[in-house]
Coordinates of all heavy atoms in Angstrom, one line a residue:
L339 N -13.8 10.3 41.0 CA -14.6 9.1 41.4 C -13.6 8.0 41.9 O -14.0 7.3 42.9 CB -15.3 8.5 40.2 CG -16.4 7.4 40.5 CD1 -17.4 7.8 41.5 CD2 -17.0 7.0 39.1
R340 N -12.4 7.9 41.5 CA -11.5 6.9 42.0 C -11.2 7.0 43.5 O -11.1 6.1 44.2 CB -10.2 7.0 41.2 CG -10.2 6.4 39.8 CD -8.9 6.5 39.2 NE -8.8 5.9 37.9 CZ -7.9 6.1 37.0 NH1 -6.8 6.8 37.3 NH2 -7.9 5.4 35.8
E341 N -11.2 8.3 43.9 CA -10.8 8.5 45.3 C -12.0 8.7 46.2 O -11.8 8.9 47.4 CB -9.9 9.8 45.4 CG -8.7 9.7 44.5 CD -7.8 8.4 44.8 OE1 -7.7 8.1 46.0 OE2 -7.3 7.8 43.8
A342 N -13.2 8.6 45.7 CA -14.4 8.7 46.5 C -14.5 7.6 47.6 O -14.2 6.5 47.4 CB -15.6 8.6 45.6
N343 N -14.8 8.2 48.8 CA -14.8 7.3 50.0 C -15.7 7.9 51.1 O -15.2 8.3 52.1 CB -13.4 7.0 50.5 CG -13.4 5.8 51.6 OD1 -14.5 5.3 51.9 ND2 -12.2 5.5 52.1
G344 N -16.9 8.1 50.7 CA -17.9 8.8 51.5 C -18.0 8.3 52.9 O -18.3 9.1 53.9
L345 N -17.9 7.0 53.2 CA -18.1 6.3 54.5 C -16.8 6.2 55.2 O -16.7 5.6 56.3 CB -18.8 5.1 54.3 CG -20.2 5.1 53.7 CD1 -20.8 3.8 53.7 CD2 -21.1 6.1 54.5
Q346 N -15.7 6.7 54.6 CA -14.3 6.6 55.1 C -13.9 5.2 55.5 O -13.4 4.9 56.6 CB -14.2 7.5 56.4 CG -14.4 9.0 56.1 CD -13.4 9.5 55.1 OE1 -12.3 9.5 55.3 NE2 -14.0 10.1 53.9
A347 N -14.2 4.3 54.6 CA -13.9 2.8 54.8 C -12.4 2.7 54.6 O -11.8 3.2 53.7 CB -14.6 2.0 53.8
Q348 N -11.7 1.9 55.6 CA -10.3 1.9 55.6 C -9.7 0.5 55.7 O -8.5 0.2 55.8 CB -9.7 2.7 56.8 CG -9.9 4.2 56.6 CD -9.3 4.8 55.4 OE1 -8.3 4.3 54.8 NE2 -10.0 5.8 54.7
R349 N -10.6 -0.6 55.7 CA -10.1 -1.9 55.9 C -9.5 -2.5 54.6 O -10.1 -2.3 53.5 CB -11.2 -2.8 56.3 CG -10.8 -4.3 56.7 CD -11.9 -5.1 57.3 NE -12.7 -4.4 58.3 CZ -12.2 -4.2 59.6 NH1 -11.1 -4.9 60.0 NH2 -12.9 -3.5 60.5
P350 N -8.3 -3.1 54.6 CA -7.7 -3.6 53.4 C -8.6 -4.8 52.9 O -9.4 -5.4 53.6 CB -6.3 -4.1 53.9 CG -6.1 -3.5 55.2 CD -7.4 -3.2 55.8
L351 N -8.5 -5.0 51.6 CA -9.2 -6.1 51.0 C -8.8 -7.5 51.6 O -7.6 -7.8 51.7 CB -9.0 -6.1 49.5 CG -9.8 -7.1 48.7 CD1 -11.2 -6.4 48.5 CD2 -9.2 -7.3 47.3
P352 N -9.8 -8.2 52.1 CA -9.5 -9.5 52.8 C -9.0 -10.6 51.8 O -9.3 -10.5 50.6 CB -10.8 -9.9 53.4 CG -11.6 -8.7 53.5 CD -11.2 -7.9 52.3
K353 N -8.3 -11.5 52.2 CA -7.7 -12.6 51.5 C -8.8 -13.4 50.8 O -8.7 -13.9 49.7 CB -7.0 -13.5 52.4 CG -6.3 -14.8 51.7 CD -5.6 -15.7 52.7 CE -5.0 -16.9 52.0 NZ -4.3 -17.8 53.0
L354 N -10.0 -13.5 51.4 CA -11.1 -14.3 50.9 C -11.5 -13.8 49.4 O -12.1 -14.7 48.7 CB -12.3 -14.3 51.8 CG -13.1 -13.0 52.0 CD1 -14.2 -12.8 51.0 CD2 -13.7 -12.9 53.4
F355 N -11.2 -12.6 49.0 CA -11.7 -12.2 47.8 C -10.8 -12.8 46.7 O -11.2 -12.9 45.5 CB -11.5 -10.6 47.6 CG -12.8 -9.9 48.1 CD1 -13.0 -9.7 49.5 CD2 -13.8 -9.6 47.2 CE1 -14.1 -9.1 50.0 CE2 -14.9 -8.9 47.7 CZ -15.2 -8.7 49.1
W356 N -9.6 -13.2 47.0 CA -8.7 -13.9 46.0 C -8.7 -15.4 46.3 O -8.4 -16.1 45.3 CB -7.3 -13.4 46.2 CG -7.1 -11.9 45.8 CD1 -6.8 -10.9 46.8 CD2 -7.3 -11.3 44.6 NE1 -6.7 -9.7 46.1 CE2 -7.0 -9.9 44.7 CE3 -7.5 -11.8 43.3 CZ2 -7.1 -9.0 43.7 CZ3 -7.6 -10.9 42.2 CH2 -7.3 -9.5 42.4
D357 N -9.1 -15.8 47.5 CA -9.1 -17.3 47.8 C -10.3 -17.7 48.6 O -10.5 -17.4 49.8 CB -7.8 -17.5 48.7 CG -7.7 -19.0 49.1 OD1 -8.5 -19.8 48.6 OD2 -6.8 -19.2 49.9
P358 N -11.3 -18.2 47.9 CA -12.6 -18.5 48.5 C -12.5 -19.6 49.6 O -13.3 -19.6 50.5 CB -13.4 -19.1 47.3 CG -12.4 -19.5 46.3 CD -11.3 -18.6 46.4
S359 N -11.3 -20.3 49.7 CA -11.1 -21.2 50.8 C -10.8 -20.5 52.1 O -10.8 -21.1 53.2 CB -10.0 -22.2 50.5 OG -8.7 -21.6 50.5
A360 N -10.6 -19.2 52.0 CA -10.3 -18.4 53.2 C -11.6 -18.0 54.0 O -11.4 -17.3 55.0 CB -9.4 -17.2 52.9
T361 N -12.7 -18.3 53.5 CA -13.9 -18.0 54.3 C -14.8 -19.2 54.4 O -14.8 -20.1 53.6 CB -14.7 -16.9 53.5 OG1 -15.9 -16.6 54.2 CG2 -15.1 -17.4 52.1
D362 N -15.6 -19.2 55.5 CA -16.5 -20.4 55.7 C -18.0 -19.9 55.6 O -18.9 -20.6 55.9 CB -16.3 -21.1 57.1 CG -16.3 -20.1 58.3 OD1 -16.5 -18.8 58.0 OD2 -16.0 -20.5 59.4
L363 N -18.2 -18.7 55.1 CA -19.5 -18.2 54.7 C -19.9 -18.8 53.3 O -19.2 -18.5 52.4 CB -19.5 -16.7 54.6 CG -19.9 -16.0 56.0 CD1 -18.6 -15.8 56.7 CD2 -20.4 -14.6 55.7
E364 N -20.9 -19.5 53.3 CA -21.2 -20.2 52.0 C -21.5 -19.3 50.9 O -21.1 -19.6 49.7 CB -22.4 -21.1 52.2 CG -22.7 -22.1 51.2 CD -21.5 -23.1 51.0 OE1 -20.9 -23.4 51.9 OE2 -21.4 -23.6 49.8
C365 N -22.1 -18.2 51.2 CA -22.5 -17.2 50.1 C -21.3 -16.6 49.5 O -21.1 -16.4 48.2 CB -23.5 -16.1 50.6 SG -22.8 -15.1 52.0
L366 N -20.3 -16.3 50.3 CA -19.0 -15.7 49.9 C -18.2 -16.8 49.1 O -17.6 -16.5 48.1 CB -18.2 -15.1 51.0 CG -18.8 -13.8 51.6 CD1 -18.0 -13.3 52.8 CD2 -18.8 -12.7 50.6
K367 N -18.2 -17.9 49.7 CA -17.3 -19.1 49.1 C -17.9 -19.3 47.7 O -17.2 -19.5 46.8 CB -17.4 -20.3 50.0 CG -16.5 -21.4 49.6 CD -16.7 -22.6 50.4 CE -16.3 -22.4 51.8 NZ -14.9 -22.3 52.0
Q368 N -19.3 -19.4 47.6 CA -19.9 -19.6 46.3 C -19.6 -18.6 45.3 O -19.2 -18.8 44.1 CB -21.4 -19.9 46.5 CG -21.8 -21.2 47.1 CD -21.6 -22.4 46.2 OE1 -21.8 -22.2 45.0 NE2 -21.4 -23.6 46.7
S369 N -19.9 -17.3 45.7 CA -19.7 -16.2 44.8 C -18.2 -16.0 44.4 O -18.0 -15.7 43.1 CB -20.3 -14.9 45.5 OG -21.7 -15.1 45.8
V370 N -17.4 -16.0 45.3 CA -15.9 -15.8 45.0 C -15.4 -17.0 44.1 O -14.7 -16.8 43.2 CB -15.1 -15.5 46.2 CG1 -13.6 -15.4 45.8 CG2 -15.5 -14.2 46.9
G371 N -15.8 -18.1 44.6 CA -15.4 -19.3 43.8 C -15.9 -19.3 42.4 O -15.2 -19.8 41.5
Q372 N -17.1 -18.9 42.2 CA -17.7 -18.8 40.9 C -16.9 -17.8 40.0 O -16.6 -18.1 38.8 CB -19.1 -18.4 40.9 CG -19.8 -18.3 39.6 CD -21.3 -17.9 39.8 OE1 -22.0 -18.5 40.5 NE2 -21.6 -16.8 39.1
V373 N -16.5 -16.7 40.5 CA -15.7 -15.7 39.8 C -14.3 -16.4 39.5 O -13.8 -16.2 38.4 CB -15.5 -14.4 40.6 CG1 -14.7 -13.4 39.7 CG2 -16.9 -13.8 40.8
L374 N -13.7 -17.0 40.4 CA -12.4 -17.6 40.2 C -12.5 -18.6 39.1 O -11.6 -18.7 38.3 CB -12.0 -18.3 41.5 CG -10.6 -19.1 41.5 CD1 -9.5 -18.2 41.1 CD2 -10.4 -19.8 42.8
E375 N -13.6 -19.4 39.1 CA -13.7 -20.5 38.1 C -14.1 -19.9 36.7 O -13.6 -20.4 35.7 CB -14.8 -21.5 38.6 CG -15.1 -22.6 37.6 CD -14.0 -23.6 37.5 OE1 -13.1 -23.6 38.4 OE2 -13.9 -24.3 36.5
T376 N -15.0 -19.0 36.6 CA -15.6 -18.6 35.4 C -15.3 -17.2 35.0 O -15.5 -16.8 33.8 CB -17.2 -18.7 35.4 OG1 -17.7 -17.7 36.4 CG2 -17.5 -20.1 35.9
G377 N -14.9 -16.3 35.9 CA -14.8 -14.9 35.6 C -16.1 -14.2 35.6 O -16.2 -13.0 35.1
Y378 N -17.1 -14.7 36.1 CA -18.5 -14.2 36.1 C -19.3 -14.3 37.4 O -19.1 -15.3 38.1 CB -19.3 -14.8 34.9 CG -20.7 -14.5 34.8 CD1 -21.0 -13.3 34.2 CD2 -21.7 -15.2 35.4 CE1 -22.4 -12.9 34.1 CE2 -23.0 -14.9 35.4 CZ -23.4 -13.7 34.7 OH -24.7 -13.3 34.6
G379 N -20.1 -13.3 37.6 CA -21.1 -13.4 38.6 C -22.2 -12.5 38.2 O -21.9 -11.4 37.7
H380 N -23.5 -12.8 38.5 CA -24.5 -11.9 38.0 C -24.7 -10.7 39.0 O -24.1 -10.6 40.1 CB -25.8 -12.6 37.7 CG -26.6 -13.1 38.8 ND1 -27.2 -12.4 39.8 CD2 -26.9 -14.4 39.2 CE1 -27.8 -13.1 40.7 NE2 -27.7 -14.3 40.3
H381 N -25.6 -9.8 38.7 CA -25.6 -8.4 39.3 C -25.9 -8.6 40.8 O -25.4 -7.8 41.6 CB -26.5 -7.5 38.7 CG -28.0 -7.8 38.7 ND1 -28.6 -8.8 37.9 CD2 -28.9 -7.4 39.5 CE1 -29.9 -8.9 38.2 NE2 -30.1 -8.0 39.2
I382 N -26.7 -9.6 41.2 CA -27.0 -9.6 42.7 C -25.9 -10.2 43.4 O -25.6 -9.9 44.6 CB -28.4 -10.4 42.8 CG1 -29.5 -9.6 42.3 CG2 -28.6 -10.6 44.3 CD1 -29.7 -8.3 42.9
Q383 N -25.2 -11.1 42.8 CA -24.0 -11.7 43.5 C -23.0 -10.6 43.7 O -22.3 -10.5 44.7 CB -23.4 -12.9 42.7 CG -24.3 -14.1 42.7 CD -23.8 -15.1 41.7 OE1 -23.5 -14.7 40.5 NE2 -23.6 -16.3 42.0
R384 N -22.9 -9.7 42.7 CA -21.9 -8.7 42.8 C -22.4 -7.6 43.8 O -21.5 -7.1 44.6 CB -21.8 -7.9 41.4 CG -21.3 -8.9 40.3 CD -21.1 -8.2 39.0 NE -21.1 -9.1 37.9 CZ -20.5 -8.9 36.8 NH1 -19.7 -7.8 36.5 NH2 -20.6 -9.8 35.7
L385 N -23.7 -7.2 43.8 CA -24.1 -6.1 44.6 C -24.4 -6.5 46.0 O -24.0 -6.0 47.0 CB -25.4 -5.4 44.0 CG -26.0 -4.3 44.8 CD1 -25.1 -3.2 45.0 CD2 -27.3 -3.9 44.1
M386 N -25.2 -7.7 46.1 CA -25.8 -8.0 47.4 C -25.0 -9.0 48.2 O -25.4 -9.3 49.4 CB -27.2 -8.4 47.2 CG -28.1 -7.3 46.6 SD -28.1 -5.7 47.6 CE -28.7 -6.1 49.1
V387 N -24.1 -9.7 47.6 CA -23.3 -10.6 48.4 C -21.8 -10.0 48.5 O -21.4 -9.6 49.5 CB -23.1 -12.0 47.7 CG1 -22.2 -12.9 48.5 CG2 -24.5 -12.6 47.6
L388 N -21.2 -9.8 47.3 CA -19.8 -9.3 47.4 C -19.7 -7.8 47.7 O -19.0 -7.4 48.7 CB -19.1 -9.6 46.0 CG -19.1 -11.1 45.6 CD1 -18.7 -11.2 44.2 CD2 -18.1 -11.8 46.5
G389 N -20.5 -7.0 47.1 CA -20.5 -5.6 47.4 C -21.1 -5.3 48.8 O -20.5 -4.4 49.6
N390 N -22.1 -6.0 49.2 CA -22.7 -5.9 50.5 C -21.8 -6.2 51.6 O -21.6 -5.5 52.6 CB -24.0 -6.7 50.6 CG -24.7 -6.5 51.8 OD1 -24.8 -5.4 52.4 ND2 -25.4 -7.6 52.2
F391 N -21.0 -7.3 51.4 CA -20.0 -7.7 52.4 C -18.9 -6.6 52.5 O -18.5 -6.2 53.6 CB -19.4 -8.9 52.1 CG -18.3 -9.5 53.0 CD1 -18.6 -10.0 54.2 CD2 -17.0 -9.2 52.7 CE1 -17.7 -10.4 55.2 CE2 -16.0 -9.6 53.6 CZ -16.4 -10.1 54.9
A392 N -18.4 -6.1 51.4 CA -17.4 -5.0 51.4 C -17.9 -3.8 52.1 O -17.2 -3.1 52.8 CB -16.9 -4.8 50.0
L393 N -19.1 -3.4 51.9 CA -19.8 -2.3 52.5 C -19.8 -2.4 54.0 O -19.4 -1.6 54.7 CB -21.1 -2.0 51.9 CG -22.1 -1.0 52.5 CD1 -21.5 0.4 52.3 CD2 -23.5 -1.1 52.1
L394 N -20.4 -3.6 54.4 CA -20.6 -3.8 55.9 C -19.2 -3.9 56.6 O -19.1 -3.5 57.7 CB -21.4 -5.1 56.1 CG -22.9 -5.0 55.5 CD1 -23.5 -6.3 55.8 CD2 -23.7 -3.8 56.1
A395 N -18.2 -4.5 55.9 CA -16.9 -4.7 56.5 C -16.0 -3.5 56.5 O -15.0 -3.5 57.0 CB -16.2 -5.9 55.8
G396 N -16.5 -2.4 55.7 CA -15.7 -1.2 55.6 C -14.5 -1.3 54.8 O -13.4 -0.8 55.3

Side-chain angles (χ1 to χ4, degrees):
L339 186 58
R340 284 180 176 169
E341 304 307 320
N343 191 358
L345 298 181
Q346 298 302 303
Q348 296 300 329
R349 189 173 308 282
L351 191 74
K353 179 182 178 181
L354 67 88
F355 276 82
W356 297 110
D357 179 7
S359 69
T361 181
D362 53 5
L363 274 82
E364 191 65 27
C365 58
L366 290 175
K367 188 185 295 289
Q368 286 285 330
S369 297
V370 175
Q372 180 179 304
V373 181
L374 175 61
E375 177 70 21
T376 68
Y378 173 82
H380 72 65
H381 67 281
I382 293 300
Q383 291 169 313
R384 301 186 202 204
L385 177 64
M386 300 307 298
V387 178
L388 301 167
N390 184 29
F391 178 80
L393 171 70
L394 299 180

